[in-house]
């Protein structure tokens, strides 16, 4: 069935046949642009929210994440009906829309950044795009390549951004990132071909969408029809909430508590990103072929648990470097989960199910930073004033009794619970999701008639 679909695909626009290459370039350019802004982001946060920096960052991320949670299932379902290319264009545009505003107006930047969550769900559309053009046996590797590309985009971009910022100022970095974003949009518009067959898409964009398809809570309720997918969604929530929390504050934590400079942060990101690429291309494929998706997820969660525990107890730079290496190898978890979710969904529901995964990740992008920010506040960890390296380390040592890394230890507990749930997963799949009702595309085609 899958091969027949691929053989009969009517390509619309773009250059060549749809491929994983197209998906990886889209992801690389989008996150390369944001990686350039690692340093300027820290500066803007500190200047705009001089007090309660992490708490305010958590609130901004929270609004964006909650909006993503609400919109991702709908956008995924729409892409199942109307095609992937238009929604790739839409999601990349809104994801990158805040970038030029960073130097124009901090207030507008944070406002647009928060509201961009309504459409900033590129990963769900990209993973659905990949599912359209790959067989199930290839999907884990393909998802690993996409996730590795995400990591690769951060190998050089923060260091390049730090260099340009030091030499020319943050304004040049923001302009460069804006140009990369425009390049990404042009690549989608001109080069990326449609992956969804023309014959199964309605002729008009006016085709109706039911409230049942648009309601994210209804989509999540449908997950319960397949307990394996329900467990996978719980694992996504428990593992990604601490990941979202730590990455929302890690760079500020490294600079203001551990004593890293901008160059140190850029080097940290580059090394972790490079190791993540290795993990998601070499280690992921080897593990899935030898032990299967479920055990691969357990291995990734084990790395993440140890890494978060190390972050929670680290008081010296070398400890953070060691834990960062472990974080890189925990990157195999998400592509392994996504591949297993995809294998449990029907071919014409890939956008919807990936939208649900992205929606849960979006919710974690909001709850994670808020939870970490709250825990930093409860344990009186002061991240509002800049410190040089020696002063920051002295502050950290004097704050050990207040557990500055309590947020990371909380994250380690959640990951441990995710590992427990993983023990009840099955590698086999039943593709039951949505079996109680017609799929979004079939429902629309029935309404449209022959």
């Amino acid at each position: 069935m899958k091969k027949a679909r691929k053989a009969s695909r009517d390509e619309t626009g773009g250059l060549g046949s749809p491929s994983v290459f197209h998906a990886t370039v889209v992801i690389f350019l989008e996150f390369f642009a944001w990686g350039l802004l690692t340093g300027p982001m820290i500066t803007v946060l500190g200047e705009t929210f001089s007090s309660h920096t992490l708490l305010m960052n958590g609130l901004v991320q929270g609004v964006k994440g909650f909006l993503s949670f609400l919109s991702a299932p709908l956008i995924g379902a729409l892409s199942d009906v109307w095609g992937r290319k238009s929604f790739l264009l839409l999601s990349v545009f809104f994801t990158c829309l805040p970038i030029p505003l960073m130097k124009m107006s901090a207030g507008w930047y944070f406002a647009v950044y928060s509201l961009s969550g309504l459409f900033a769900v590129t990963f769900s559309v990209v993973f659905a795009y990949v599912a359209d053009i790959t067989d199930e046996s290839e999907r884990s590797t393909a998802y690993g390549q996409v996730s590795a590309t995400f990591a690769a985009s951060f190998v050089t971009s923060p260091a390049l951004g730090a260099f340009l910022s030091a030499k020319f100022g943050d304004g040049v970095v923001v302009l460069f990132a804006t140009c990369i974003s425009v390049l990404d949009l042009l690549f989608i518009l001109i080069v990326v071909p449609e992956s969804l067959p023309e014959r199964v898409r309605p002729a008009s964009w006016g085709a109706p969408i039911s409230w049942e398809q648009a309601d994210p809570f209804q989509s999540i309720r449908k997950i319960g029809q397949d307990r394996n997918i329900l467990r996978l969604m719980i694992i996504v929530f428990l593992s990604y909430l601490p990941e979202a929390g730590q990455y929302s504050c890690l760079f500020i934590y490294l600079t203001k508590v551990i004593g890293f400079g901008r160059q140190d942060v850029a080097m940290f990101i580059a090394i972790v990103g490079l190791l993540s690429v290795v993990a998601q291309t070499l280690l992921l494929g080897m593990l899935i072929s030898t032990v299967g998706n479920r055990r691969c997820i357990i291995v990734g969660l084990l790395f993440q648990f140890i890494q978060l525990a190390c972050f929670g107890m680290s008081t010296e730079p070398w400890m953070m470097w060691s834990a960062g290496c472990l974080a890189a190898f925990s990157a195999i978890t998400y592509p392994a989960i996504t591949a297993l979710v995809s294998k449990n969904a029907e071919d014409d529901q890939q956008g919807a199910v990936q939208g649900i995964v992205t929606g849960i990740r979006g919710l974690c992008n909001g709850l994670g930073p808020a939870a970490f920010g709250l825990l930093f506040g409860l344990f009186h960890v002061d991240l509002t004033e800049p410190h040089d390296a020696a002063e920051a380390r002295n502050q950290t040592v004097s704050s050990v009794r207040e557990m500055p890394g309590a947020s990371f230890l909380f994250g380690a507990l959640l990951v441990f619970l995710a590992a427990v749930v993983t023990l009840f997963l099955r590698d086999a799949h039943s593709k039951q999701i949505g079996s109680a009702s017609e799929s979004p595309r079939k429902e629309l085609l029935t309404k449209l008639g022959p």
Side-chain angles (χ1 to χ4, degrees):
M1 175 67 181
K2 188 76 174 180
K3 290 183 178 178
R5 279 185 60 205
K6 289 198 286 186
S8 62
R9 182 180 288 110
D10 298 312
E11 296 173 16
T12 58
L15 301 177
S17 301
S19 66
V20 177
F21 167 78
H22 292 101
T24 55
V25 172
V26 171
I27 288 294
F28 180 85
L29 291 175
E30 177 180 311
F31 288 98
F32 185 87
W34 278 106
L36 290 168
L37 300 174
T38 303
M41 275 280 288
I42 296 174
T43 302
V44 171
L45 271 171
E47 291 177 350
T48 308
F49 308 115
S50 56
S51 60
H52 308 296
T53 306
L54 288 182
L55 181 59
M56 293 306 299
N57 181 51
L59 291 176
V60 170
Q61 296 284 353
V63 173
K64 180 180 180 181
F66 185 69
L67 291 176
S68 296
F69 168 70
L70 294 177
S71 65
L74 173 60
I75 291 177
L78 289 173
S79 75
D80 281 334
V81 177
W82 292 330
R84 315 295 184 199
K85 180 170 180 173
S86 298
F87 288 96
L88 279 176
L89 197 64
L90 187 72
S91 62
V92 170
F93 174 79
F94 279 97
T95 301
C96 298
L97 182 61
I99 290 177
L101 299 174
M102 183 178 288
K103 293 302 292 182
M104 297 179 184
S105 169
W108 276 106
Y109 166 75
F110 285 109
V112 174
Y113 182 82
S114 301
L115 296 176
S116 69
L118 280 171
F119 299 100
V121 291
T122 309
F123 261 110
S124 65
V125 186
V126 164
F127 281 142
Y129 188 100
V130 171
D132 291 339
I133 58 178
T134 57
D135 294 312
E136 287 185 1
S137 60
E138 307 167 334
R139 205 163 292 162
S140 298
T141 303
Y143 284 161
Q145 291 173 5
V146 173
S147 297
T149 302
F150 164 71
S153 67
F154 287 100
V155 171
T156 58
S157 57
L160 178 59
F163 170 77
L164 292 175
S165 179
K167 194 170 184 63
F168 303 107
D170 287 350
V172 171
V173 181
V174 173
L175 177 61
F176 186 35
T178 302
C179 292
I180 297 295
S181 304
V182 173
L183 178 63
D184 198 9
L185 292 170
L186 291 175
F187 179 82
I188 297 170
L189 192 62
I190 299 171
V191 179
V192 174
E194 177 59 62
S195 65
L196 204 62
E198 179 73 28
R199 59 185 176 78
V200 297
R201 283 182 279 132
S204 171
W205 271 71
I209 293 290
S210 68
W211 171 248
E212 181 179 348
Q213 294 166 233
D215 182 3
F217 300 101
Q218 177 66 21
S219 300
I220 291 175
R221 283 193 291 271
K222 282 186 177 181
I223 293 173
Q225 296 171 9
D226 188 325
R227 292 185 179 180
N228 212 39
I229 290 186
L230 177 60
R231 295 184 186 109
L232 283 164
M233 296 304 173
I234 292 173
I235 295 166
V236 170
F237 181 82
L238 291 175
S239 63
Y240 195 72
L241 189 144
E243 182 175 335
Q246 75 168 355
Y247 283 117
S248 71
C249 66
L250 180 60
F251 306 139
I252 302 175
Y253 187 84
L254 288 173
T255 55
K256 296 187 176 182
V257 173
I258 304 299
F260 278 38
R262 273 198 179 191
Q263 296 294 336
D264 297 321
V265 171
M267 185 62 67
F268 183 90
I269 297 171
I271 291 177
V272 172
L274 184 60
L275 290 175
S276 296
V277 172
V278 173
Q280 292 174 97
T281 52
L282 300 179
L283 181 62
L284 177 67
M286 181 182 67
L287 283 175
I288 288 180
S289 62
T290 55
V291 301
N293 279 86
R294 184 177 69 89
R295 290 186 178 88
C296 183
I297 294 169
I298 292 175
V299 172
L301 292 174
L302 178 62
F303 277 119
Q304 187 181 6
F305 171 80
I306 299 173
Q307 169 256 311
L308 284 166
C310 290
F311 272 8
M313 295 181 288
S314 296
T315 57
E316 294 291 335
W318 69 266
M319 298 179 182
M320 300 300 287
W321 283 103
S322 301
C325 295
L326 294 173
F329 289 101
S330 71
I332 63 174
T333 304
Y334 182 59
I337 290 175
T338 309
L340 199 52
V341 169
S342 178
K343 291 176 182 178
N344 278 267
E346 296 292 345
D347 289 341
D348 62 352
Q349 291 182 305
Q350 293 297 325
V353 72
Q354 296 298 344
I356 295 170
V357 174
T358 301
I360 293 175
R361 281 167 58 95
L363 187 63
C364 292
N365 279 330
L367 295 178
F372 271 51
L374 178 62
L375 284 169
F376 278 125
L378 288 175
F379 285 91
H380 310 291
V381 181
D382 181 17
L383 301 183
T384 61
E385 295 297 330
H387 303 279
D388 60 29
E391 187 180 356
R393 281 194 290 271
N394 290 336
Q395 182 200 37
T396 303
V397 172
S398 65
S399 302
V400 168
R401 290 172 298 175
E402 297 174 343
M403 293 181 66
S407 298
F408 301 109
L409 295 176
F410 168 73
L413 175 61
L414 294 182
V415 172
F416 175 78
L417 295 176
V420 172
V421 176
T422 307
L423 296 176
F424 297 93
L425 278 179
R426 303 186 312 272
D427 267 326
H429 57 280
S430 56
K431 291 193 174 183
Q432 294 174 352
I433 188 168
S435 61
S437 62
E438 291 183 301
S439 69
R441 186 185 300 139
K442 289 177 182 176
E443 182 179 332
L444 285 177
L445 291 178
T446 301
K447 290 179 181 179
L448 290 170

